[in-house]
Structure formats: structure tokens, C-alpha cells
Amino acid sequence: HNEMGKTIGFGGRGLSDDDVPKYLNSPETPIYKKSLVLYNLHRAKEAIRKEDRVVLVEGYMDAIGVTAAGFRGVVASCGTALTSDQVRALRRHTDKIVVNFDPDAAGAKAAERSIQLLLEEGLQVRIMELDGGLDPDEYCKERGAAAYRERRDTAKGYFYWLADRARSQYDLRTTEGKVAVLKYL
């Protein structure tokens, strides 16, 4: 749906791990451009304004699962790299964002890439990490809404999250490692 709630495309997910392709989505058309759309924004915008915060997840299954767990202010970038058009759409509703991408290396890289774009649009950015290798949908199902709420409410500010990533990637016992961390940050 677009931000006004009009249907502009379709998406589906295979039910078993053997289904190929795993996701099947509408192709881009003059009215559906993935880089302009945030999944669930039309349903979430009232809660986003009320809570003065949005939770951004990667895909529509995560948005559906987290919303089903009781969190209404959730949108998804639908597997595409976050774009400035999408960020501006969020900015119309709040200036606070919690990025909750999948806990794998690709999700961490995507979160890292999104930070600069979000900051350029003036958003206050927090990064939410989930343990156990669970994506947001799985986390809500396995750990429950209270555990997800605790993670959301204690999400790290983006700079602290980046500093932790840098410390884990470089050897701070060496001069080269310290310089690498400073360059990274």
C-alpha cells in the first residue's frame, strides 16, 4: 500500500524453506517503486505519531510479526537499501527511529549504512539488537512482546552501537587498531 492506503503492489513468501523463490513480489511499475514505499506506513503512521517513534525492520514478514505482537508503529523497507525518499516519509511523522534489522552480518551492514542517511534527515537514531540470531518476527514469537519491548526501549544510541562494532572488529591493543577504530567512527 502507499502511504494513503491504496494497493500498489503485492508480495508473497514461500511457506517452506524449499520454495523457490522464497519471496515473490510485484515488479516495479509507474505506481509501485520499492525505493519510495515503506511497508505498513499507512497503518502505522497514527501509532508513530502517538508514540513519537518508529521501528524500522527489513521485510514485511518482520513488520507483520512485530505488529501482531502488539507494536503498531512498525514499518519495513522491504529488503531494499533504505532511501532518502523513505526516510523523508518517516520524518513527516516523527524524528525518532529505532532500527531493528536482522541480527546477521548483512543486517548489521544495512543498519550501519542507514545511519548516515537517517542523520542527514535529522532523525534521532537508536539501533536495536536481538540476541539468539533471531529476526524481529521470530524474536516476538519465541521471546514474547515483553522481551521485545525491553529491547526496543533500551536500544543503544547509534554512536554507542557503532563504537561497539568498531571495538569488535579491530584490535585496540595496537596503534593500528586504534587508528582503524577512529577512522571507522
Side-chain angles (χ1 to χ4, degrees), residues 54-170:
V54 63
V55 175
L56 175 67
V57 296
E58 285 184 89
Y60 50 80
M61 294 305 291
D62 288 327
I64 291 167
V66 174
T67 300
F71 302 92
R72 302 288 176 234
V74 180
V75 299
S77 57
C78 290
T80 65
L82 191 64
T83 67
S84 56
D85 289 317
Q86 291 169 323
V87 175
R88 280 191 292 277
L90 291 173
R91 183 70 174 91
R92 287 194 295 272
H93 304 286
T94 186
D95 64 352
K96 297 176 184 80
I97 187 165
V98 177
V99 177
N100 182 208
F101 288 170
D102 291 352
D104 56 15
K109 273 290 199 199
E112 193 176 307
R113 283 191 308 269
S114 72
I115 290 171
Q116 186 63 38
L117 195 58
L118 294 165
L119 292 174
E120 286 172 0
E121 291 296 327
L123 274 80
Q124 298 172 33
V125 183
R126 295 192 164 284
I127 308 295
M128 181 176 170
E129 295 179 290
L130 302 176
D131 60 334
L134 300 171
D135 67 27
D137 174 42
E138 295 166 335
Y139 194 89
C140 287
K141 287 177 185 168
E142 290 190 22
R143 306 280 171 84
Y148 188 85
R149 181 175 290 104
E150 172 69 21
R151 290 289 180 156
R152 182 199 63 189
D153 293 347
T154 60
K156 292 179 183 175
Y158 76 91
F159 189 81
Y160 295 102
W161 181 80
L162 285 172
D164 287 346
R165 276 185 58 77
R167 282 192 291 270
S168 71
Q169 293 176 15
Y170 303 103

